[in-house]
Every structure is written in structure tokens, then in C-alpha cells.
């Protein structure tokens, strides 16, 4: 690889991962982005709004993140760098149920669900946001695969079960209600989604033919 090109290439806006003192700046910007999404939605989010609510000058925002899309992508990127781990209740049934309830808790309450819902909405309007959202959930689902791996070890799931497909199957009916049919979700619906996924696992539906 050409070292001179690598050293001097211009980074993609929103792709920087500052550390030390600038980590606080990044966190403040992310908080402002989340607040703006919650209060006004993606179409009304502006660099000026983020500058005002983060205390970071807009020229710095433009230089480091480039645009609202860059700000949004980095906010999702930062969220994906957390230490979240999937539940470990001791059983596949309990783990799938806990995962389903986390989705309901994250999106079901208007107060807590405003920002993540706005992220999903932004993905339909911005290719950059769609890419960032895809990356975020790919990482989340990757972590969740441990739930199925443990279940196979315990003999609760057939060997060869597609772990990624299982964890997606748990959240899929919930996201359908939240973002397509616009139906309410609650604990009972979460339990139903978990039970359906569990039944499919036991039937071998997620084992590749």
C-alpha cells in the first residue's frame, strides 16, 4: 500500500474516531443530534441546531462531519461502540423473550423511542443514514448470536441453526408493527414474537437444508 496516500487521504466526514479531550466533543455532538431528532425529526435537523445545542462551532462541525448526514452517521457509529451485551437468562426461551422486550422498551414508549424511531425514518431519506443504520444493527445482531450459540451448546437448538436468522426473527414482527402497520407493541406482543421464534428454532426451521 502507498503510505503517502494513506497518510494524506481525506477522511470521510463522520468517520473520525477522536479520543481523549475530543471524545467529549463527539459525545456532546451526539447528544445534540439525538435531541434534535427527538424534538424535530430528521428533515428539520440542521448543523446550526447541533452547533447551538452542543456548544461546538458550526465550522468545526462542517470540517469534521461535513453535513447532517455525517453527524447522523457518527451518532449511530458512537452508539454501536457501547458495551451492550445480549441477555443471558440461562435459557433460550428467556433470552429471546428478553430481546423482544428490549425492542418494545426502546421503541414502544414515545419518550424513549423518539430518537431511535427518527433514526429509522432518516434511513429512508438518506443513503448515508441507511448505511449507518445497517452497520449499527449488523453489529447488534452479531452480538446477539451468542444467545443461539449458547442454546446449541445446551441442546436447546439443533446444530447448524442460523443464529443471525433467529435473532432477526424475534425483532421482525415487532418492527413490522412499529414501522409498517403502525400498530402498538407491548409485553404480550413481545412474548408472542419470542415464542414464535422459539417454536421455529425447535422445529429446525433455521437449520440450512
Amino acid at each position: 500500500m502507498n503510505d503517502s496516500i494513506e497518510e494524506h487521504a481525506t477522511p470521510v466526514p463522520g468517520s473520525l474516531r477522536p479520543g481523549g479531550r475530543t471524545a467529549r466533543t463527539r459525545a456532546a455532538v451526539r447528544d445534540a443530534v439525538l435531541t434534535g431528532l427527538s424534538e424535530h425529526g430528521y428533515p428539520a435537523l440542521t448543523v446550526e441546531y447541533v452547533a447551538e445545542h452542543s456548544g461546538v462551532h458550526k465550522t468545526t462541525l462542517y470540517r469534521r462531519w461535513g453535513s447532517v448526514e455525517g453527524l447522523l452517521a457518527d451518532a449511530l457509529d458512537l452508539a454501536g461502540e457501547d458495551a451492550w451485551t445480549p441477555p443471558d437468562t440461562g435459557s433460550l426461551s428467556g433470552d429471546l423473550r428478553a430481546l423482544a422486550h428490549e425492542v418494545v422498551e426502546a421503541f414502544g414508549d414515545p419518550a424513549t423511542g423518539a430518537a431511535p424511531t427518527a433514526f429509522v425514518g432518516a434511513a429512508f431519506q438518506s443513503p448515508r443514514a441507511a448505511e449507518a443504520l445497517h452497520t449499527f444493527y449488523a453489529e447488534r445482531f452479531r452480538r446477539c448470536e451468542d444467545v443461539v450459540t449458547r442454546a446449541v451448546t445446551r441442546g436447546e437448538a439443533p446444530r447448524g441453526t442460523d443464529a443471525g436468522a433467529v435473532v432477526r426473527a424475534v425483532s421482525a414482527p415487532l418492527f413490522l408493527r412499529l414501522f409498517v402497520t403502525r400498530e402498538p407493541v407491548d409485553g404480550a406482543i413481545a412474548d408472542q414474537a419470542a415464542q414464535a421464534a422459539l417454536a421455529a428454532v425447535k422445529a429446525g426451521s433455521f437449520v440450512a437444508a
Side-chain angles (χ1 to χ4, degrees):
M1 181 178 291
N2 189 319
D3 291 337
S4 63
I5 293 176
E6 185 177 39
E7 289 173 3
H8 298 291
T10 301
V12 175
S15 66
L16 298 179
R17 285 169 170 74
R21 292 177 298 177
T22 55
R24 290 191 295 272
T25 297
R26 189 182 180 204
V29 169
R30 174 183 178 269
D31 289 345
V33 170
L34 292 176
T35 299
L37 284 174
S38 300
E39 294 181 351
H40 307 293
Y42 174 71
L45 185 65
T46 65
V47 173
E48 288 73 19
Y49 175 95
V50 175
E52 179 182 352
H53 289 76
S54 66
V56 179
H57 198 278
K58 68 179 182 180
T59 57
T60 299
L61 297 178
Y62 278 117
R63 183 175 66 252
R64 180 173 293 169
W65 286 276
S67 65
V68 169
E69 287 190 320
L71 289 165
L72 187 66
D74 193 55
L76 271 171
D77 193 37
L78 185 59
E81 294 174 8
D82 64 14
W84 182 87
T85 56
D88 186 0
T89 66
S91 71
L92 180 59
S93 175
D95 290 347
L96 296 182
R97 182 175 180 273
L99 285 173
H101 277 263
E102 284 196 23
V103 173
V104 170
E105 291 167 6
F107 290 95
D109 186 313
T112 60
T117 297
F119 270 124
V120 174
F124 285 93
Q125 303 172 65
S126 161
R128 184 77 184 282
E131 180 182 357
L133 190 69
H134 169 78
T135 300
F136 173 82
Y137 274 108
E139 172 61 18
R140 274 292 191 269
F141 287 134
R142 185 195 64 77
R143 298 185 199 182
C144 288
E145 291 180 7
D146 286 346
V147 165
V148 181
T149 301
R150 293 193 300 259
V152 171
T153 300
R154 292 192 297 257
E156 295 177 292
R159 293 195 177 279
T161 296
D162 186 332
V166 173
V167 296
R168 285 170 172 80
V170 175
S171 57
L174 301 174
F175 284 133
L176 173 70
R177 294 177 69 99
L178 286 163
F179 299 112
V180 179
T181 63
R182 304 298 293 173
E183 297 174 85
V185 294
D186 56 21
I189 296 297
D191 288 342
Q192 183 183 76
Q195 289 166 5
L198 179 64
V201 168
K202 291 184 175 179
S205 300
F206 297 108
V207 177

